[in-house]
């Protein structure tokens, strides 16, 4: 199942935040439950993917990369929502953005746990952010930092295309500088 939260300021809807369940009967059931919870949206497709099959392939790769071990551990949705909302509001103090769609999925990727404080993110499509959290080994700070970094990508995709490796390197430099400006950190 997926819990959906609307992040607002005043009467303005700033973002839809979708946090998936992290628990399930098995690896296969988890992927099935998540992919069935992500609905086709005319603005962003399936969480930024044109086809549901592409989302499923991405989820299989990112959640269970390199034969990761499935853990049936839930996260505190309210805590994660609060961290993301606080970071998003800080970003929006600096840069105006169109409505965002934020998806939070689990990962059991040992690299993410050991080298990225249990959190990683992607922004393949404008106004769409995907965050992966290793359920029992993540840093609250890393969630906010990842959100701000990916916010920069998702917003800039409204104005710039990433066509080359150099474009991606420059975009990542800009995203890191934006994150530092928004919430600090090295």
């Amino acid at each position: 199942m997926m819990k959906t939260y609307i992040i607002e300021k005043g009467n303005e809807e700033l973002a839809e935040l979708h946090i998936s369940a992290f628990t399930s009967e098995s690896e296969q059931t988890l992927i099935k439950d998540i992919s069935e919870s992500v609905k086709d949206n005319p603005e962003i497709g399936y969480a930024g993917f044109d086809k549901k099959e592409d989302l499923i392939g991405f989820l299989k790769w990112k959640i269970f990369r390199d034969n990761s071990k499935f853990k049936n551990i839930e996260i505190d949705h309210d805590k994660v929502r609060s961290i993301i909302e606080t970071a998003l509001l800080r970003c929006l103090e600096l840069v105006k953005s169109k409505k965002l769609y934020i998806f939070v999925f689990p990962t059991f990727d040992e690299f993410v746990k050991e080298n990225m404080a249990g959190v990683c993110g992607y922004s393949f499509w404008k106004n769409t952010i995907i965050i992966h959290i290793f359920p029992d080994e993540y840093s609250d700070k890393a969630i906010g930092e990842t959100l701000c970094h990916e916010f920069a990508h998702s917003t800039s995709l409204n104005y710039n295309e990433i066509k080359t490796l150099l474009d991606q390197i420059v975009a990542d430099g800009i995203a890191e500088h934006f994150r530092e400006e928004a919430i600090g950190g090295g």
Side-chain angles (χ1 to χ4, degrees):
M1 280 307 226
M2 183 99 51
K3 287 186 181 177
T4 299
Y5 304 89
I6 303 299
I7 300 175
E8 302 175 297
K9 187 171 184 181
N11 290 332
E12 184 180 4
E13 191 172 305
L14 306 173
E16 283 182 22
L17 171 60
H18 305 274
I19 303 177
S20 75
F22 280 48
T23 59
S24 192
E25 295 172 15
S26 67
E27 294 178 11
Q28 294 79 20
T29 307
L30 181 64
I31 297 292
K32 182 177 181 261
D33 291 347
I34 292 172
S35 65
E36 287 178 358
S37 294
V38 176
K39 304 301 179 204
D40 188 15
N41 178 319
E43 293 182 47
I44 63 163
Y46 297 93
F49 293 89
D50 290 331
K51 297 181 226 158
K52 186 167 272 204
E53 300 82 49
D54 295 337
L55 170 64
I56 291 169
F58 172 76
L59 291 171
K60 286 178 180 177
W61 170 75
K62 191 63 218 165
I63 294 175
F64 298 111
R65 186 174 177 182
D66 300 328
N67 298 316
S68 303
K69 303 290 187 274
F70 174 60
K71 296 182 178 187
N72 205 9
I73 300 170
E74 190 58 80
I75 62 167
D76 182 341
H77 285 227
D78 290 330
K79 178 180 172 186
V80 170
R81 180 207 47 78
S82 178
I83 294 166
I84 288 174
E85 184 172 354
T86 299
L88 177 62
L89 291 174
R90 178 62 186 130
C91 291
L92 290 168
E93 289 175 10
L94 301 172
V95 174
K96 181 81 172 130
S97 176
K98 295 181 179 181
K99 179 180 173 182
L100 293 169
Y101 299 88
I102 305 165
F103 296 85
V104 178
F105 301 125
T107 186
F108 303 103
D109 183 345
E110 292 293 319
F111 179 84
V112 173
K113 178 177 98 172
E114 294 170 10
N115 299 292
M116 303 182 76
V119 182
C120 69
Y122 299 90
S123 190
F124 301 116
W125 189 252
K126 59 187 173 186
N127 309 315
T128 306
I129 296 170
I130 296 174
I131 296 175
H132 286 278
I133 299 174
F134 200 102
D136 61 344
E137 296 282 337
Y138 69 89
S139 153
D140 294 352
K141 181 180 175 192
I143 294 172
E145 289 174 344
T146 301
L147 183 279
C148 291
H149 179 98
E150 297 307 325
F151 172 91
H153 286 307
S154 70
T155 301
S156 68
L157 287 171
N158 287 298
Y159 309 100
N160 302 301
E161 290 185 39
I162 306 294
K163 294 182 180 178
T164 68
L165 178 58
L166 180 59
D167 292 341
Q168 186 62 55
I169 291 168
V170 171
D172 269 315
I174 291 168
E176 273 303 285
H177 280 279
F178 179 80
R179 182 214 28 99
E180 288 177 10
E181 179 68 25
I183 61 171

